Amino acid sequence: MQDGVHRLTATPGASSALQRVGERLQARAGEINGRWNRRLQLTASGWEDLVRDAARLYSDAKDFRARSIRETLRVQTQKQIPEARFAVAPVSVFERASRDYLYLGRPQAPLEVSAARNEWENVQLVIVPFRGAVTDLSLMVSDLTDGKGHVIAGSNVTWRPVGHIYAQDPATYTGSERNEWPDPLLPQQAFTAQREEATFVWLEIYVPKDAASGDYRGTVSVIGLQGPPVRLPLQLKVWDFVLPDKNSLPNYEYDIVFSWERFYGHEPSLEELDAICAFQERYRLNPCAGDTYSMVPKVIIYKEKDGKYTFDFSELGKRLELAVKHGATALNINFSCGQSWTMGFDGMWGYPWFKLIDRETGKVSDYPPKELWGRGWEVVFKDPLFQQCMRDWWAYVQSKGWGSMAYWESVDEPNDESRIRQLQVEHSALQGLMPGLRLLSWGVVPSRPGTEGYLHIYGPAAVYLDEATLRDCHEQQAQGREFWTYLCAPAFTREDGGESIGVTARDRALGLRVYFWETWRDKSQGWNVYALGGFHYNTAQMRKPPEQRWPNVPWIDPSLGLSNQCYPGPDQELLPSIRLEHMRDGVEDYEYLVVLRKALQDLETKSADSPLLDQGEVLLNVGPEIYAGPLKWTHDPGVLLTRRAQVAAMIEKVQAASR
């Protein structure tokens, strides 16, 4: 009964009024504890009074603690900035940005971060008003200098206020029970720090490829219209190596163009698609310029004068060229995880997908005609026109030089006999129509009966990748096949405490970073985290006029971001999520390991007996302290960050020894 109520003294430097509040709370705690000690003598109504009074004390004590901490922050801050209206302090990027967060550290402590060249790295700060709300806040970042004449411009730092999403209507929640979760990173514009709330700001720091290595220093200033700015030192260590532009592993993200169109009300132009691909490139995602609904209907079918048919894939090609321009290393030329081209030739959803142009007459008609709608995928696969389209489409892809990065994904998660049969029929046909094209299906493990010989890429879920399945996957690799992994669900916890890695805003953010260390350990050759832009599933946002939609109203999402890692912003600007930031950090961690492995290979050719070779190999081994299995991985960010720093330092040593 005493836990949580016996430490009710005000923090040092608190006002006398606050100290008196603490004394009164302490007296109430003593009285309640006295009744607790006499609990066997209480009547039923006495028990009810005790429970009610204890609950009130707990609530008042929590409020007192928050007031006391704010008072401490005020005293510490105003010693340096007498007229300051708020405190500013660094917090870990793994801290959840809760509005009732109580910062216990030192205000105005440095923001500290390290990064390689051509890397993005993140820091987070919290703003705590002392009394009333502070409006019209913004951040200004100075240039960073190393004292040797080298400068990283402050324009390489982007800041965004942290926003929240709600699992249910926020109007039904108050205080810490609002059921809100930090995730969207809002546009870089003026914001308000509300009274008695913590406001978080996320900063992305990009280190240019040509930056000199060393220790840089600058300043982050939080500025408002009232009161003086409050500044934090920013300290950046730049490692002496560069990360590659293109990711070492392919991945594919879904739904972004379809969702964009649903939210903004029009199909994105090529210029807007270019911006979407640039957004994906910035977050080290494999750029994809379309999906089933935005790509397949772009094909034009021509009936030539001799009665034969040809296909114009040029509009499709323009979109894929954008993906390649922004660093794509893989192209899913089915544009879906399931039916795609067959939907078009089947007239799926009750309308024709293509335009058919008669070269001789110039007549334009719809295809397929109504009598061919709803034939089903098996009939479509036997249609000579469909078969010709697939042959010609594959020839077009190869003619553009994209054949080596192309693959075909279909029959998602074939977990019953009917879907296994569909996989067999479709992939058998595709192997004849599109020879040499790699075929992938997510949710398939090598031991699944009926899949042998029908897949070039197995795609097991990471959460089910136990040691036995992993051995099967490695056997497939030895035979020339590949295996990729994916995440596609909220985290779950076993009775023994084992916890999976989840993809929602509710789940541990660290898991999305650990996933890429798992990918390295397991020798997976590709990855997917579902999904980048499936915000069209949030139908409550889609069906309202723009002024009644996000960001003008709260984002209410019962799945807490399961299908989207970004959000639609104003002026067709995609907004990243905290989860997306952690994913990029994980991808870059993976690239650290790639760089170290290459550096060790180079060193071995010059100095095969260097002790650095064994030391480096130890760091390439992802042990159980980081990842021991799908339900056992570190929950301590320090473990991961320490290993990352060790890898970076080793890269510098190995590369120096190779010069």
Side-chain angles (χ1 to χ4, degrees):
M1 191 70 180
Q2 293 180 350
D3 291 343
V5 297
H6 69 290
R7 294 181 180 178
L8 292 169
T9 56
T11 54
S15 67
S16 57
L18 190 59
Q19 290 175 350
R20 288 194 296 272
V21 172
E23 292 169 359
R24 289 195 293 271
L25 288 172
Q26 194 68 55
R28 286 171 57 190
E31 189 273 333
I32 288 174
N33 283 326
R35 280 192 277 166
W36 170 254
N37 292 333
R38 300 189 303 275
R39 57 189 179 277
L40 297 180
Q41 304 170 23
L42 294 177
T43 63
S45 61
W47 266 107
E48 292 177 358
D49 291 342
L50 176 60
V51 171
R52 182 189 65 246
D53 292 345
R56 288 176 178 172
L57 176 63
Y58 178 81
S59 176
D60 292 345
K62 186 176 179 181
D63 179 66
F64 169 76
R65 181 169 179 261
R67 291 176 58 195
S68 181
I69 290 172
R70 284 196 300 273
E71 184 74 5
T72 300
L73 294 176
R74 182 190 66 77
V75 171
Q76 292 176 341
T77 300
Q78 291 183 343
K79 281 182 180 179
Q80 300 180 47
I81 310 171
E83 301 301 320
R85 300 185 61 203
F86 53 88
V88 181
V91 290
S92 167
V93 292
F94 299 100
E95 288 279 2
R96 291 201 186 276
S98 169
R99 297 180 205 262
D100 58 0
Y101 175 81
L102 298 179
Y103 178 73
L104 299 175
R106 178 169 60 90
Q108 296 165 270
L111 290 161
E112 299 176 320
V113 67
S114 66
R117 296 192 291 271
N118 198 33
E119 180 179 9
W120 294 88
E121 195 57 32
N122 303 305
V123 291
Q124 186 175 211
L125 60 81
V126 62
I127 301 169
V128 182
F130 299 141
R131 294 185 179 85
V134 184
T135 60
D136 293 306
L137 289 171
S138 63
L139 270 64
M140 180 177 295
V141 182
S142 72
D143 292 344
L144 289 83
T145 62
D146 66 351
K148 301 176 183 178
H150 302 118
V151 177
I152 296 177
S155 57
N156 285 293
V157 182
T158 304
W159 59 267
R160 294 177 179 274
V162 176
H164 296 79
I165 60 176
Y166 297 83
Q168 299 184 40
D169 188 341
T172 63
Y173 292 89
T174 58
S176 62
E177 298 179 348
R178 277 182 292 216
N179 202 12
E180 64 182 14
W181 300 87
D183 196 46
L185 298 177
L186 305 176
Q188 182 173 304
Q189 59 190 30
F191 61 96
T192 296
Q194 297 292 348
R195 177 178 180 269
E196 297 186 356
E197 289 186 354
T199 298
F200 289 73
V201 181
W202 192 277
L203 293 90
E204 297 177 324
I205 303 170
Y206 175 69
V207 179
K209 295 179 187 178
D210 60 354
S213 61
D215 296 318
Y216 290 76
R217 285 174 169 76
T219 303
V220 176
S221 301
V222 182
I223 302 169
L225 294 181
Q226 298 177 326
V230 179
R231 298 181 175 88
L232 293 184
L234 175 58
Q235 300 175 2
L236 168 66
K237 179 179 180 59
V238 177
W239 298 106
D240 192 15
F241 60 92
V242 61
L243 295 189
D245 288 326
K246 288 189 177 182
N247 298 339
S248 298
L249 290 183
N251 70 88
Y252 182 70
E253 296 291 342
Y254 298 94
D255 294 327
I256 183 65
V257 175
F258 181 65
S259 290
W260 194 99
E261 182 177 347
R262 287 286 305 277
F263 190 86
Y264 294 116
H266 68 277
E267 180 178 327
S269 65
L270 287 175
E271 290 76 17
E272 289 165 333
L273 281 174
D274 188 60
I276 291 172
C277 287
F279 176 87
Q280 293 172 298
E281 182 183 21
R282 177 182 176 121
Y283 287 94
R284 290 195 173 270
L285 302 173
N286 191 70
C288 99
D291 45 43
T292 295
Y293 310 100
S294 64
M295 297 290 268
V296 172
K298 293 292 186 294
V299 177
I300 299 175
I301 306 173
Y302 286 95
K303 183 179 181 181
E304 304 296 345
K305 294 180 180 180
D306 60 3
K308 296 180 180 179
Y309 291 87
T310 59
F311 300 88
D312 182 353
F313 300 111
S314 59
E315 286 301 315
L316 277 179
K318 291 177 184 178
R319 285 153 176 78
L320 291 182
E321 284 167 359
L322 290 176
V324 173
K325 166 189 169 183
H326 288 284
T329 58
L331 297 174
N332 177 11
I333 62 171
N334 187 39
F335 312 121
S336 171
C337 62
Q339 298 303 300
S340 180
W341 292 88
T342 51
M343 291 170 62
F345 279 86
D346 196 30
M348 186 71 75
W349 313 127
Y351 64 88
W353 285 47
F354 305 107
K355 292 298 180 184
L356 173 62
I357 301 177
D358 190 309
R359 291 280 196 189
E360 186 171 14
T361 65
K363 179 182 177 182
V364 179
S365 57
D366 293 330
Y367 189 87
K370 194 169 185 179
E371 59 268 21
L372 295 181
W373 295 357
R375 294 176 290 170
W377 63 268
E378 286 190 87
V379 176
V380 168
F381 259 88
K382 297 175 183 177
D383 183 340
L385 189 62
F386 172 81
Q387 293 177 350
Q388 182 187 343
C389 182
M390 293 300 94
R391 284 191 292 265
D392 290 357
W393 172 228
W394 179 225
Y396 177 86
V397 169
Q398 291 177 301
S399 72
K400 303 290 285 188
W402 302 332
S404 62
M405 71 173 77
Y407 68 96
W408 184 286
E409 178 191 353
S410 64
V411 197
D412 186 43
E413 299 186 350
N415 297 319
D416 57 59
E417 292 306 316
S418 65
R419 292 178 67 76
I420 288 291
R421 179 181 173 278
Q422 182 178 354
L423 178 76
Q424 294 171 342
V425 173
E426 282 196 21
H427 285 201
S428 292
L430 290 168
Q431 287 174 353
L433 296 169
M434 310 171 85
L437 176 62
R438 295 176 299 164
L439 304 175
L440 162 70
S441 181
W442 294 113
V444 180
V445 297
S447 60
R448 182 69 170 88
T451 61
E452 180 66 28
Y454 297 100
L455 291 169
H456 303 101
I457 306 172
Y458 285 89
V463 69
Y464 299 120
L465 196 59
D466 56 27
E467 292 304 317
T469 302
L470 187 58
R471 284 194 298 271
D472 290 342
C473 289
H474 290 161
E475 288 179 6
Q476 293 295 324
Q477 286 178 320
Q479 298 174 34
R481 300 182 185 89
E482 300 178 37
F483 93 92
W484 301 3
T485 63
Y486 73 105
L487 297 173
C488 186
F492 62 84
T493 304
R494 300 289 193 192
E495 292 183 0
D496 61 3
E499 180 181 325
S500 67
I501 294 174
V503 301
T504 75
R506 192 199 314 261
D507 301 321
R508 294 180 194 271
L510 182 62
L512 288 174
R513 192 161 180 174
V514 170
Y515 171 58
F516 294 94
W517 292 77
E518 173 201 356
T519 298
W520 174 271
R521 188 203 78 146
D522 292 348
K523 299 181 175 61
S524 171
Q525 294 156 283
W527 62 272
N528 175 44
V529 178
Y530 183 82
L532 173 61
F535 44 78
H536 69 271
Y537 293 116
N538 193 341
T539 54
Q541 296 288 344
M542 300 297 150
R543 295 172 181 170
K544 294 180 179 178
E547 65 274 8
Q548 297 178 25
R549 287 185 291 171
W550 160 272
N552 298 317
V553 298
W555 186 276
I556 302 170
D557 182 359
S559 71
L560 290 176
L562 174 63
S563 62
N564 63 284
Q565 296 142 15
C566 68
Y567 296 85
D571 301 321
Q572 288 78 55
E573 173 197 8
L574 293 176
L575 302 178
S577 66
I578 290 175
R579 291 169 296 140
L580 188 56
E581 300 282 354
H582 285 296
M583 283 172 54
R584 180 175 60 191
D585 283 342
V587 172
E588 291 176 334
D589 288 349
Y590 186 98
E591 298 301 335
Y592 272 47
L593 297 169
V594 171
V595 172
L596 177 56
R597 181 174 60 190
K598 176 62 167 58
L600 290 170
Q601 291 169 347
D602 292 343
L603 178 60
E604 188 173 21
T605 63
K606 297 180 179 181
S607 180
D609 59 351
S610 171
L612 291 176
L613 295 174
D614 289 338
Q615 296 171 22
E617 286 296 331
V618 169
L619 293 177
L620 290 178
N621 178 40
V622 177
E625 72 280 2
I626 293 177
Y627 184 86
L631 300 177
K632 191 174 182 181
W633 44 278
T634 184
H635 295 171
D636 180 1
V639 171
L640 202 65
L641 297 179
T642 297
R643 172 61 70 88
R644 173 181 174 273
Q646 291 170 341
V647 170
M650 182 58 67
I651 292 172
E652 289 189 332
K653 292 179 182 179
V654 173
Q655 289 185 341
S658 297
R659 295 189 184 110

